[in-house]
Amino acid sequence: MGEEKGGEEKIMFKKILIANRGEIALRVMRACRELNILSVAVFSEADRSAPHTRYADEAYFIGPSPSTESYLRIDKILDVAKKSKAEAIHPGYGFLAENENFAKAVEGAGIMFIGPTSKAMALLGDKTAARQTMSKAGIPIIPGMEKPLRNEEEAKKIAEKIGFPILIKAAGGGGGKGMRMVENKSGLQSALKGAIAEASSAFGNPAVYIEKYLLHPRHVEIQVLADNFGKVVHLNERECSIQRRYQKMIEESPCCIMTEDLRRKMGESAKKVAKTAGYTNAGTVEFLVDKNKNFYFLEVNTRLQVEHPVTELVTGIDIVKEQIHIASGEKLRLKQEEVWLRGAAIECRISAEDPDNNFFPSTGRIEEIVDPTGPGIRVESGIFEGYEIPLFYDPLIAKVLAWGRDRQEAIVRMQRALSEYKIKGIKTTIPFHKRILSHRDFLGGNFDTGFLQKILDTPLPKEQNEEIAAMAAAIIALKEEESPIIKESKETMSNWKKVSRWMMLRR
Amino acid sequence: MGEEKGGEEKIMFKKILIANRGEIALRVMRACRELNILSVAVFSEADRSAPHTRYADEAYFIGPSPSTESYLRIDKILDVAKKSKAEAIHPGYGFLAENENFAKAVEGAGIMFIGPTSKAMALLGDKTAARQTMSKAGIPIIPGMEKPLRNEEEAKKIAEKIGFPILIKAAGGGGGKGMRMVENKSGLQSALKGAIAEASSAFGNPAVYIEKYLLHPRHVEIQVLADNFGKVVHLNERECSIQRRYQKMIEESPCCIMTEDLRRKMGESAKKVAKTAGYTNAGTVEFLVDKNKNFYFLEVNTRLQVEHPVTELVTGIDIVKEQIHIASGEKLRLKQEEVWLRGAAIECRISAEDPDNNFFPSTGRIEEIVDPTGPGIRVESGIFEGYEIPLFYDPLIAKVLAWGRDRQEAIVRMQRALSEYKIKGIKTTIPFHKRILSHRDFLGGNFDTGFLQKILDTPLPKEQNEEIAAMAAAIIALKEEESPIIKESKETMSNWKKVSRWMMLRR
Amino acid sequence: MAYLVSVQNKTYRIEIENHYSESREDIYSLLIDGQPKEVGVSVVNKPGHLSLLLANESYDIEVDKEEDGYYVSMRDETYHVRVEDERVKKVEREMGRHKSGVLAVKAPMPGLVVAVEVKAGDTVEKGKGVVILEAMKMQNEIRAPKEGVVKEIIVHQGAKVNGGDVLVVLE
Amino acid sequence: MAYLVSVQNKTYRIEIENHYSESREDIYSLLIDGQPKEVGVSVVNKPGHLSLLLANESYDIEVDKEEDGYYVSMRDETYHVRVEDERVKKVEREMGRHKSGVLAVKAPMPGLVVAVEVKAGDTVEKGKGVVILEAMKMQNEIRAPKEGVVKEIIVHQGAKVNGGDVLVVLE
């Protein structure tokens, strides 16, 4: 595969270390397996039997369960890379994926980092500096600060200057951590405190900054691929406005307010952002789009996104494989005009959180899984039957994707998939996704980043089958009373429930 | 959806009866659910808790487990259709799907049959008559008989006339049942006996006929959709040469020897066949293609095929939904030039059969299922954990499909999927599919309908990890000796194995 | 056998008159608020997984028993169902049991107490935050489920708690 | 503890010298044909499902015990492994047990006997069909696994048999 150029033959990697866990580690290992590349896993104490440890060809223990002692330890991961003779490292998302020191250390060790250079990452990782750079290059940005906030006094001044509502954001990382919307002056102090605390704990960096909060904005991002020879293509947009606490929950492509003209403009802007930053490999340029279809550059996610499969479904491109090809020194294998956009795709992120209890993390043992299947459905999952969800990591356990010839078909398939998906033993966000997927405004494509609050404020639809539920429970109650065998089973049932509920850590 | 024409508004069905079981019943019910149509299941004694009985909105008991007393009982199924007020019946494949008496009875009851008219079915169901008709219409056919065989004497005469090798085929149905290849005179008598016996038991019709057996032919079929207004489109080809005992095991699209020119010619021939027969709804026109890319009409499968998802993956068309739209009286929603052919797709049929023991049917209880997931994988399955495979029906339990940007990517994804797919408690054909998928000639696209015998004649590849296997077994043996807890578990393990092995019928 | 079965705000009286096994399923004849029903029941692959047929309508049902009753899932919805034996209920009613006015606010899952936002003696409104718990890197505010007076603070800042541990007692 | 472990045509002598539990896995120190190995073992979700680490190579392994030994599955292959305790083996060897010359041809699965193709006293070659069994609508010929003389016919045409039932006895 891959073109050869200038007499120098590019040789595909033989072994790649995946510095991550969960579904994304499996995703990358699957790409490796399809490319006939050996994969090296790293695992913490809690992850000795985790899927990624078992799926890999090699697996190395890197420390205790807390990520600060394992998945965030640059030194240990580099040690494993050297010991295993891995030629490249894929960071996945989260953990060290956007840590420029990690990228720099990998480069310094003579190992390929599957992502941008540490230099591009540093430039884009400083969100305020990045906005300045891009603004100078002619990319529209949202009014706001040019530097991290120094103190509360400054915050007040700036907020008054650009006008409420404002958004406080962490300078050191993305993903909604350390982010707070402030509606008026009175909420500023506590929001600032909360944002700084969260930013410190999530990124080890308390720096935050302020920007204008747009009303009814949609979060629309452009996926780009850039090779090491200055060539950039974009793979169309993803609509990611369905967010809770600035965490994306549902993503789709195409965006239903997109026009050919707007797509071309945003695509060109995204490519310009990548070129301006000297960006290479896969990246995502995030924009906000307001009611009048003006778009504003937000930031670049300098890594593979959680929601990358949405784009894979509508373009047929395996983004992880392209990342590997690019990192191995190949030229881009696609021209812009060869990028399709066929049909529509949606992703729902399934988390181990209880939507009926304020989205509290749910831990426990997975008792049974029935994956949704059939036409148009794809699952990316990091769990298995018998798996005990560890406390230490992100609660995302699986992603369900649906493809359809149009948005309507993708939606009905997703509804079906959510209905078929059974994960027993823990609470998940599946019921909440069902609510979103049946909401009139979601179906009509009529939403913005504030949509989720609307869902939470909408009363639950009336349940249909109360009589049937009553009869089923009465029948089970009778079975329990009558049959010693059933009674025993009931005991077991009730017991594993308890175990799953109160079990704190996996052994 | 669907166009309205001539002032008459077409109204989509509200309720459809699915006269089938297993994965195909689920497939149709999923389409119904996505179209917001209620589904009605019929079930036999053995299928009270089967997936299709539970997935449907309504379910009706139709008799004892043997299909002759349930799924083949036209009277009972029509009774259910009337009782449930179903407006249409989808027959799936197998059972009554190609039974013209059933189609006629459904028409007579004022219910829509989701398939061709009984008249078209009758014309095409008589394979010998169909070949005559098509030959007269200018479609190339294989030299052979024009009528069913009257006796052994006639068989000898004809075989000598067209020359060995010959093929004996059932006149009353397809799917490889009642089919025998005969290499020379001495094998004729016993093959004839076997074919007649199998044809009788499979189709209730002992009629067989003889045709010339082509050397190194490939089995290539064209999927067509035809509406009730004379419009026909084809959805490209499927390559189905990987067969065992004339039963397809692996199908793919596109066919790797196909050229644009040949596709156009075969597509036009297929459309002509459909028009000549007055065919409506979805159908498949089967051809043999010889080494010189001459193609010969074989027969029309007047139903949804097992392998229809292969075409769905490369065209993005939901064939079952299109069937329902057509049956409801809509015009075709696609023009020929709107039919895509993107990437490549492969299907492996997973059966409950033991490839290490001459493909003997394997019954028992499914202990654990891990479905393959990740990019490009689709599963259509009719089993669940705890399911006991009944003896009475076809051993097909699931289909795995892989899509890739090209054939090579589809293949590596299928290899990965087969590797990930875990079905415990019974024997399946998964290991055999792995052998095929790694065979040089399969990878090179260099095969014909005789390929499978080649696989069977190829020695098994040397196993790699004998030492590891030895150590694992020794460790388990030690655990069993040492730990009373493990011992107990081992007992359980060994017990459920026995149960699954020797359990004859589900209770 | 008669049960009082509560779902949402409704209570049904369900009297199971008769039940017997056929080869493929069990048949239950019952009265629900006096209306006769015949239900076909087949256990699928676990005691709590039932396939119900009611006048040929098919319901694929999972029943999970928890401490506070049954959770019955079907057709995209989960119902919280409480089942009481009519005789037991009667006895209880006669004994005139009173509900306690004390309410323990419990940790919904394991985590680290980042802050305690109330002190003993405080009057709190329903929805007022009482404790901030950090778990899976997220800070979560535990709120008062009803108004009351803080009787006792059980945990302190920095404490690690298990799910179900009492954090604060309200009165 | 020493085992004689046979896979395919090879037999390994495996001596497990030592094993102990660490927090995340069990460590086995063993000699395989005299070569020392250290294996990290973690039980995944069932007793027979192991995750093995051998010098950081990762093997996801399923071990199923059947009547004729262990079936060990990993990396797309399944190995039939027989494990014998060295001491037991030694005793057996000393007792000089002989193999019986009688072989029962069994039904590999339940079905209907459509035809019996041999009669008592017939000499059959290896691979000769003895019984035709119909199951799942397919007719399957059961063949002699070795050459011999038919000693006894156990089933008759039209009989329904279970998997494992003896059909014919060869000598």
Side-chain angles (χ1 to χ4, degrees):
Chain A
M1 303 176 70
E3 300 168 36
E4 289 154 34
K5 178 83 183 182
E8 192 197 357
E9 198 170 328
K10 301 301 171 192
I11 292 171
M12 182 44 76
F13 305 122
K14 288 188 191 64
K15 196 185 276 189
I16 293 177
L17 184 152
I18 293 92
N20 217 305
R21 64 179 301 285
E23 66 89 17
I24 195 61
L26 286 182
R27 171 69 188 88
V28 177
M29 289 176 192
R30 284 183 169 129
C32 289
R33 194 176 282 191
E34 291 176 16
L35 291 171
N36 204 21
I37 296 169
L38 294 174
S39 54
V40 179
V42 291
F43 65 94
S44 71
E45 183 87 27
D47 281 341
R48 171 62 185 87
S49 298
H52 77 285
T53 307
R54 292 184 283 115
Y55 201 92
D57 295 289
E58 299 177 22
Y60 289 76
F61 176 63
I62 50 162
S65 304
S67 45
T68 48
E69 300 176 54
S70 48
Y71 297 107
L72 290 172
R73 285 286 297 268
I74 295 176
D75 54 342
K76 289 185 177 176
I77 289 168
L78 278 181
D79 271 358
V80 171
K82 287 171 199 159
K83 225 182 283 175
S84 65
K85 299 194 172 65
E87 301 152 85
I89 295 182
H90 196 300
Y93 56 70
F95 295 132
L96 297 169
E98 291 178 281
N99 183 316
E100 64 182 87
N101 295 325
F102 181 56
K104 201 178 286 174
V106 173
E107 289 163 4
I111 296 165
M112 288 305 310
F113 181 80
I114 301 176
T117 61
S118 61
K119 205 177 137 202
M121 201 187 278
L123 172 65
L124 295 168
D126 183 340
K127 309 291 178 194
T128 44
R131 292 192 311 159
Q132 292 319 307
T133 309
M134 295 311 157
S135 181
K136 277 173 206 146
I139 309 290
I141 63 166
I142 299 168
M145 299 177 62
E146 304 189 358
K147 285 188 180 161
L149 205 56
R150 273 166 305 183
N151 52 44
E152 201 183 314
E153 220 27 64
E154 194 192 21
K156 275 185 199 153
K157 256 190 256 166
I158 288 165
E160 265 156 35
K161 195 178 108 199
I162 63 174
F164 287 96
I166 59 149
L167 200 58
I168 306 174
K169 297 174 78 176
K177 300 248 162 73
M179 204 185 265
R180 293 284 190 283
M181 194 268 268
V182 188
E183 282 192 78
N184 51 47
K185 219 165 121 178
S186 73
L188 186 60
Q189 190 187 2
S190 72
L192 208 51
K193 242 169 67 184
I196 290 171
E198 228 173 79
S200 305
S201 101
F203 313 114
N205 176 359
V208 299
Y209 64 95
I210 285 176
E211 67 183 26
K212 174 81 184 152
Y213 183 81
L214 296 183
L215 289 170
H216 301 301
R218 299 175 86 110
H219 178 120
V220 180
E221 60 188 29
I222 304 281
Q223 173 76 54
V224 297
L225 291 176
D227 67 16
N228 304 339
F229 309 96
K231 215 176 119 191
V232 187
V233 295
H234 77 84
L235 308 186
N236 305 311
E237 78 279 6
R238 290 185 294 258
E239 149 76 72
C240 310
S241 301
I242 308 292
Q243 305 185 352
R244 188 186 156 269
R245 288 184 168 190
Y246 308 107
Q247 287 272 14
K248 297 167 190 166
M249 280 195 81
I250 295 184
E251 301 94 349
E252 55 180 303
S253 184
C255 164
C256 54
I257 61 153
M258 190 56 66
T259 61
E260 263 315 312
D261 184 52
L262 182 59
R263 179 176 294 127
R264 196 184 41 72
K265 280 186 197 156
M266 290 182 70
E268 286 310 313
S269 290
K271 284 156 78 166
K272 194 167 184 188
V273 167
K275 281 180 181 167
T276 303
Y279 196 86
T280 49
N281 214 288
T284 297
V285 185
E286 293 192 335
F287 296 97
L288 285 183
V289 179
D290 71 14
K291 280 202 289 196
N292 304 318
K293 301 200 182 172
N294 298 310
F295 60 92
Y296 304 95
F297 169 70
L298 271 185
E299 61 180 60
V300 178
N301 291 311
T302 59
R303 54 167 157 85
L304 186 66
Q305 301 274 91
V306 175
E307 62 269 25
H308 74 276
V310 168
T311 298
E312 295 183 327
L313 287 177
V314 291
T315 63
I317 294 166
D318 188 316
I319 294 174
V320 178
K321 284 188 195 161
E322 294 307 319
Q323 287 193 291
I324 296 170
H325 283 294
I326 291 169
S328 81
E330 288 179 28
K331 298 190 112 186
L332 272 183
R333 305 186 299 165
L334 281 160
K335 296 197 185 82
Q336 187 65 55
E337 60 271 23
E338 291 168 349
V339 176
W340 325 328
L341 177 54
R342 294 272 161 179
I346 305 184
E347 171 179 276
C348 288
R349 299 187 185 193
I350 312 300
S351 299
E353 294 174 316
D354 183 358
D356 290 337
N357 188 13
N358 203 26
F359 290 87
F360 266 111
S362 166
T363 54
R365 186 169 193 273
I366 310 271
E367 294 302 327
E368 189 183 1
I369 298 174
V370 177
D371 285 320
T373 55
I377 303 304
R378 168 173 165 189
V379 175
E380 295 285 337
S381 147
I383 56 174
F384 60 94
E385 290 180 352
Y387 183 55
E388 278 166 28
I389 311 271
L391 245 186
F392 304 98
Y393 314 113
D394 195 277
L396 182 74
I397 50 174
K399 304 181 305 204
V400 186
L401 290 115
W403 181 91
R405 261 184 104 79
D406 51 31
R407 184 170 190 263
Q408 195 268 342
E409 185 172 60
I411 288 174
V412 294
R413 283 181 171 168
M414 180 60 86
Q415 290 171 333
R416 177 176 66 68
L418 293 171
S419 178
E420 290 177 19
Y421 206 171
K422 190 152 88 174
I423 300 177
K424 298 204 68 173
I426 59 162
K427 301 278 184 185
T428 75
T429 51
I430 293 173
F432 192 72
H433 282 291
K434 287 180 188 169
R435 280 179 71 185
I436 299 172
L437 265 282
S438 61
H439 193 284
R440 201 179 44 189
D441 288 344
F442 180 80
L443 300 178
N446 175 29
F447 54 82
D448 58 39
T449 54
F451 175 71
L452 229 62
Q453 195 52 49
K454 211 159 152 186
I455 286 275
L456 292 167
D457 295 344
T458 306
L460 279 165
K462 225 196 103 31
E463 295 173 335
Q464 301 283 324
N465 295 302
E466 292 168 339
E467 274 194 37
I468 308 288
M471 288 189 270
I475 287 165
I476 288 283
L478 182 69
K479 274 173 178 277
E480 285 169 1
E481 274 186 56
E482 288 195 341
S483 160
I485 294 166
I486 295 295
K487 225 169 194 161
E488 217 174 289
S489 308
K490 173 217 110 183
E491 212 72 64
T492 318
M493 230 166 81
S494 145
N495 265 348
W496 58 247
K497 267 288 158 188
K498 263 182 227 153
V499 169
S500 71
R501 276 282 158 109
W502 312 125
M503 174 82 63
M504 183 163 169
L505 300 175
R506 59 188 308 295
R507 277 150 305 183
Chain B
M1 305 175 70
E3 301 168 36
E4 290 154 34
K5 178 86 183 181
E8 191 196 359
E9 198 171 327
K10 301 299 171 193
I11 293 172
M12 182 44 76
F13 304 123
K14 289 188 191 64
K15 196 185 275 188
I16 293 177
L17 184 152
I18 293 91
N20 217 304
R21 64 178 303 283
E23 67 88 16
I24 196 60
L26 286 182
R27 170 70 188 89
V28 177
M29 287 176 193
R30 284 183 169 128
C32 289
R33 194 177 280 192
E34 291 176 15
L35 291 172
N36 203 21
I37 296 169
L38 295 173
S39 54
V40 179
V42 291
F43 65 93
S44 71
E45 183 87 26
D47 281 341
R48 171 62 185 85
S49 299
H52 77 284
T53 306
R54 292 184 284 114
Y55 201 91
D57 295 288
E58 299 176 23
Y60 289 76
F61 175 65
I62 51 162
S65 303
S67 46
T68 47
E69 300 177 52
S70 48
Y71 298 107
L72 290 171
R73 284 286 296 268
I74 296 175
D75 54 343
K76 288 185 179 176
I77 289 168
L78 278 180
D79 271 357
V80 172
K82 286 171 198 159
K83 226 183 281 176
S84 66
K85 299 193 172 63
E87 300 151 88
I89 294 181
H90 196 299
Y93 55 69
F95 294 131
L96 296 169
E98 293 178 279
N99 183 316
E100 64 182 88
N101 293 326
F102 180 56
K104 201 178 286 174
V106 173
E107 290 162 3
I111 296 166
M112 289 303 311
F113 181 80
I114 301 176
T117 60
S118 61
K119 204 178 137 205
M121 200 186 278
L123 172 65
L124 296 166
D126 183 339
K127 310 291 182 194
T128 44
R131 294 192 311 159
Q132 291 320 304
T133 308
M134 296 311 157
S135 181
K136 277 174 206 146
I139 309 290
I141 64 166
I142 299 167
M145 298 176 64
E146 305 188 358
K147 285 187 179 162
L149 205 57
R150 270 165 307 182
N151 52 45
E152 201 182 313
E153 220 28 63
E154 193 192 23
K156 274 187 199 153
K157 258 191 255 164
I158 287 165
E160 265 157 36
K161 195 177 106 199
I162 64 176
F164 286 97
I166 58 149
L167 199 59
I168 307 174
K169 297 174 79 176
K177 301 247 163 72
M179 204 184 266
R180 293 284 190 282
M181 195 267 269
V182 189
E183 283 192 78
N184 52 47
K185 220 165 121 178
S186 73
L188 186 61
Q189 188 185 5
S190 72
L192 209 51
K193 242 169 69 184
I196 289 170
E198 228 172 77
S200 303
S201 102
F203 313 114
N205 176 359
V208 298
Y209 65 96
I210 285 175
E211 67 183 26
K212 174 82 182 154
Y213 183 81
L214 297 183
L215 288 170
H216 302 301
R218 298 176 86 110
H219 177 119
V220 180
E221 60 189 28
I222 305 281
Q223 174 76 53
V224 297
L225 290 177
D227 67 16
N228 303 339
F229 309 95
K231 216 175 118 192
V232 186
V233 295
H234 77 83
L235 309 185
N236 305 310
E237 77 279 7
R238 290 185 294 257
E239 150 75 74
C240 309
S241 300
I242 309 293
Q243 306 185 351
R244 188 185 156 270
R245 286 184 170 190
Y246 308 106
Q247 287 272 14
K248 297 167 190 166
M249 280 195 81
I250 294 184
E251 302 94 349
E252 56 180 300
S253 182
C255 165
C256 54
I257 60 153
M258 190 57 66
T259 60
E260 264 315 312
D261 184 53
L262 182 59
R263 179 175 295 127
R264 196 182 43 73
K265 280 186 199 155
M266 289 181 71
E268 287 309 312
S269 289
K271 283 155 78 166
K272 194 168 187 187
V273 167
K275 282 180 182 167
T276 304
Y279 196 83
T280 50
N281 215 286
T284 297
V285 184
E286 294 192 335
F287 296 98
L288 286 183
V289 179
D290 71 15
K291 281 202 290 195
N292 304 318
K293 302 199 183 174
N294 298 310
F295 60 93
Y296 305 94
F297 169 71
L298 272 185
E299 62 181 59
V300 177
N301 290 311
T302 59
R303 54 165 156 88
L304 186 66
Q305 300 274 90
V306 175
E307 63 270 25
H308 74 277
V310 168
T311 298
E312 295 184 326
L313 286 177
V314 291
T315 63
I317 295 166
D318 186 317
I319 294 174
V320 178
K321 284 188 195 161
E322 294 307 319
Q323 286 193 293
I324 295 171
H325 282 294
I326 291 169
S328 80
E330 289 180 28
K331 298 190 111 184
L332 271 184
R333 305 187 301 164
L334 281 160
K335 296 197 185 81
Q336 187 64 56
E337 59 272 23
E338 291 168 349
V339 176
W340 326 327
L341 176 54
R342 294 272 161 178
I346 304 184
E347 172 179 275
C348 289
R349 300 187 184 193
I350 312 301
S351 300
E353 294 175 316
D354 183 358
D356 290 336
N357 187 12
N358 203 26
F359 290 87
F360 266 110
S362 166
T363 53
R365 187 171 193 271
I366 311 272
E367 293 302 328
E368 188 182 0
I369 299 173
V370 178
D371 285 320
T373 56
I377 304 304
R378 169 173 164 186
V379 174
E380 296 284 337
S381 146
I383 56 174
F384 60 94
E385 291 181 350
Y387 182 57
E388 280 166 26
I389 310 269
L391 245 186
F392 305 96
Y393 314 112
D394 195 277
L396 182 74
I397 51 174
K399 304 182 304 205
V400 187
L401 290 116
W403 180 91
R405 259 184 106 78
D406 51 30
R407 184 171 190 263
Q408 195 269 342
E409 186 172 60
I411 288 174
V412 293
R413 285 182 169 166
M414 180 60 87
Q415 289 171 333
R416 176 176 66 69
L418 293 171
S419 180
E420 290 177 18
Y421 206 171
K422 190 151 90 173
I423 301 176
K424 298 205 65 173
I426 59 162
K427 302 278 187 188
T428 74
T429 50
I430 292 173
F432 191 72
H433 282 291
K434 288 179 187 167
R435 281 179 70 184
I436 299 172
L437 265 283
S438 61
H439 194 283
R440 200 179 45 191
D441 288 343
F442 180 80
L443 300 178
N446 175 27
F447 53 83
D448 58 39
T449 54
F451 175 71
L452 229 62
Q453 195 52 49
K454 211 159 153 187
I455 286 275
L456 292 167
D457 295 343
T458 306
L460 277 166
K462 225 195 102 30
E463 295 173 337
Q464 301 283 325
N465 296 303
E466 291 169 340
E467 274 195 36
I468 308 287
M471 288 189 270
I475 287 165
I476 288 283
L478 183 67
K479 275 174 178 274
E480 285 170 0
E481 274 185 58
E482 288 195 341
S483 159
I485 294 166
I486 296 293
K487 225 169 191 160
E488 216 175 289
S489 307
K490 172 216 110 184
E491 211 74 65
T492 318
M493 230 166 80
S494 145
N495 265 348
W496 58 247
K497 268 287 160 190
K498 263 183 225 152
V499 168
S500 71
R501 277 281 158 108
W502 311 127
M503 174 83 62
M504 182 164 171
L505 299 174
R506 60 189 307 293
R507 276 150 305 180
Chain C
M1 178 65 74
Y3 295 105
L4 296 174
V5 185
S6 312
V7 195
Q8 307 253 74
N9 303 319
K10 288 184 209 159
T11 298
Y12 302 92
R13 182 175 185 280
I14 297 181
E15 190 177 341
I16 300 180
E17 297 191 306
N18 182 19
H19 65 99
Y20 57 95
S21 295
E22 288 198 343
S23 61
R24 65 183 184 277
E25 66 184 5
D26 299 329
I27 308 291
Y28 288 78
S29 300
L30 51 83
L31 293 171
I32 175 162
D33 287 347
Q35 292 290 317
K37 303 268 182 192
E38 198 176 82
V39 187
V41 179
S42 167
V43 175
V44 180
N45 55 357
K46 279 170 297 142
H49 190 178
L50 306 179
S51 171
L52 243 67
L53 286 181
L54 177 71
N56 292 111
E57 287 189 13
S58 176
Y59 296 91
D60 194 22
I61 299 183
E62 297 261 1
V63 183
D64 292 318
K65 190 171 191 176
E66 308 240 348
E67 284 169 4
D68 59 348
Y70 297 92
Y71 285 81
V72 180
S73 303
M74 79 184 98
R75 296 194 176 182
D76 288 343
E77 289 170 343
T78 298
Y79 304 83
H80 179 199
V81 185
R82 265 167 294 233
V83 179
E84 287 168 298
D85 187 321
E86 196 177 41
R87 294 161 306 185
V88 176
K89 180 81 175 177
K90 213 169 160 188
V91 172
E92 280 180 7
R93 209 181 294 121
E94 279 158 12
M95 287 175 61
R97 295 207 311 189
H98 291 288
K99 275 192 183 165
S100 160
V102 172
L103 180 77
V105 180
K106 295 178 183 179
M109 56 96 48
L112 177 78
V113 175
V114 176
V116 178
E117 303 186 303
V118 291
K119 57 182 195 298
D122 281 5
T123 300
V124 295
E125 284 173 23
K126 182 179 167 182
K128 164 83 178 83
V130 292
V131 165
I132 295 177
L133 203 61
E134 186 175 287
M136 289 191 186
K137 292 192 171 172
M138 298 286 278
Q139 299 202 357
N140 302 289
E141 193 166 59
I142 316 293
R143 292 167 190 194
K146 58 159 208 171
E147 61 174 340
V149 175
V150 177
K151 197 184 166 198
E152 198 182 348
I153 309 278
I154 310 290
V155 294
H156 55 86
Q157 193 183 334
K160 285 189 179 170
V161 295
N162 285 344
D165 281 2
V166 177
L167 306 171
V168 166
V169 180
L170 301 181
E171 202 169 28
Chain D
M1 179 65 75
Y3 295 104
L4 296 174
V5 185
S6 313
V7 195
Q8 308 252 75
N9 303 319
K10 288 183 208 158
T11 300
Y12 302 93
R13 183 177 182 279
I14 296 181
E15 191 177 340
I16 299 180
E17 297 191 306
N18 182 18
H19 65 99
Y20 58 96
S21 294
E22 287 198 344
S23 61
R24 64 181 184 278
E25 64 184 6
D26 299 330
I27 309 290
Y28 287 79
S29 299
L30 50 83
L31 293 171
I32 177 162
D33 287 348
Q35 293 289 318
K37 303 269 181 191
E38 198 178 80
V39 187
V41 179
S42 167
V43 175
V44 180
N45 56 355
K46 278 169 296 137
H49 188 178
L50 305 179
S51 171
L52 244 68
L53 287 181
L54 178 71
N56 291 112
E57 287 191 13
S58 177
Y59 297 91
D60 193 24
I61 300 182
E62 297 259 3
V63 183
D64 292 317
K65 190 171 192 178
E66 309 238 349
E67 284 169 4
D68 58 349
Y70 296 93
Y71 285 82
V72 180
S73 303
M74 79 185 98
R75 296 192 176 185
D76 288 345
E77 286 171 344
T78 298
Y79 303 84
H80 181 199
V81 185
R82 265 165 294 232
V83 179
E84 287 167 299
D85 187 323
E86 198 177 43
R87 295 162 303 187
V88 176
K89 179 82 174 177
K90 212 167 160 191
V91 173
E92 280 180 7
R93 209 181 293 119
E94 279 158 12
M95 287 174 61
R97 296 205 311 187
H98 291 288
K99 277 192 185 166
S100 159
V102 172
L103 180 79
V105 180
K106 294 177 184 180
M109 58 94 49
L112 179 76
V113 176
V114 176
V116 178
E117 303 187 303
V118 292
K119 57 183 194 300
D122 280 4
T123 300
V124 294
E125 283 175 23
K126 182 180 166 183
K128 163 83 177 83
V130 292
V131 163
I132 295 177
L133 202 60
E134 185 175 287
M136 289 193 185
K137 292 191 172 173
M138 300 285 278
Q139 298 202 358
N140 303 288
E141 193 164 60
I142 315 294
R143 291 164 191 197
K146 57 159 210 171
E147 61 174 339
V149 176
V150 177
K151 198 185 164 197
E152 196 183 348
I153 308 278
I154 308 291
V155 294
H156 55 87
Q157 192 184 336
K160 284 187 181 173
V161 295
N162 286 343
D165 282 2
V166 177
L167 305 171
V168 166
V169 180
L170 300 182
E171 202 169 28

